Amino acid sequence: MKMPLKPPNNRHNLNSIRPSNPAKEKNTVVLPGADVAAGLADISAGRATWVAESSRYEANGRKYDRNRLPGVRSGLRDLSRSEYKVLKQLIGADGDVAAARDALRRDPSVSEAHWRSALEVFQHHKSYRGGA
């Protein structure tokens, strides 16, 4: 079945995320260099496999939902609301991890596990300074 699919909104691209972006329950981040467009082109051209059990297409080692980007795959990362909050704070602090930690130190929704996940993604951001 051929169907045109829209690319992910630019707000999903790691280097386009802004501190003002809304944090949703689940937030998919596209890492720099991920060729999502190729997977979408394969789906549109009928070169992807439909997996009925998951209601998703599979192309180029990634799984695509018709209406939203799916879970953790090569080049894509799903973050929880709290992980995304940490990522946005790191971006807003221009990579200053100490300043980001200070800004969120009293937020009860953010744990050390959220920091680890967010820092793993942030290491691919253009403002990453290393050492985190």
Side-chain angles (χ1 to χ4, degrees):
M1 174 171 140
K2 294 182 182 180
M3 63 188 309
L5 297 173
K6 294 179 184 179
N9 186 292
N10 200 37
R11 69 180 170 81
H12 290 285
N13 294 326
L14 178 60
N15 287 321
S16 297
I17 293 173
R18 303 288 175 252
S20 60
N21 284 21
K24 300 184 179 187
E25 192 63 33
K26 291 182 181 178
N27 305 273
T28 300
V29 176
V30 179
L31 301 180
D35 192 1
V36 174
L40 297 177
D42 283 345
I43 293 168
S44 294
R47 293 186 300 266
T49 303
W50 175 253
V51 181
E53 298 82 41
S54 64
S55 296
R56 293 183 177 171
Y57 291 97
E58 288 187 11
N60 298 322
R62 294 189 179 105
K63 296 176 183 172
Y64 297 87
D65 185 296
R66 246 189 102 201
N67 298 313
R68 73 171 205 78
L69 289 169
V72 176
R73 286 98 31 225
S74 176
L76 305 176
R77 297 293 182 271
D78 276 347
L79 298 180
S80 69
R81 184 182 308 274
S82 294
E83 291 165 341
Y84 194 72
K85 186 186 293 188
V86 171
L87 179 63
K88 290 191 317 172
Q89 192 65 49
L90 287 163
I91 291 168
D94 199 30
D96 186 338
V97 176
R101 281 191 179 273
D102 190 51
L104 291 175
R105 68 183 161 85
R106 294 183 186 215
D107 188 329
S109 72
V110 175
S111 72
E112 190 57 37
H114 298 131
W115 277 95
R116 282 191 298 276
S117 296
L119 283 166
E120 181 182 305
V121 172
F122 184 67
Q123 291 177 19
H124 301 277
H125 191 269
K126 62 188 175 187
S127 68
Y128 177 66
R129 299 178 186 177

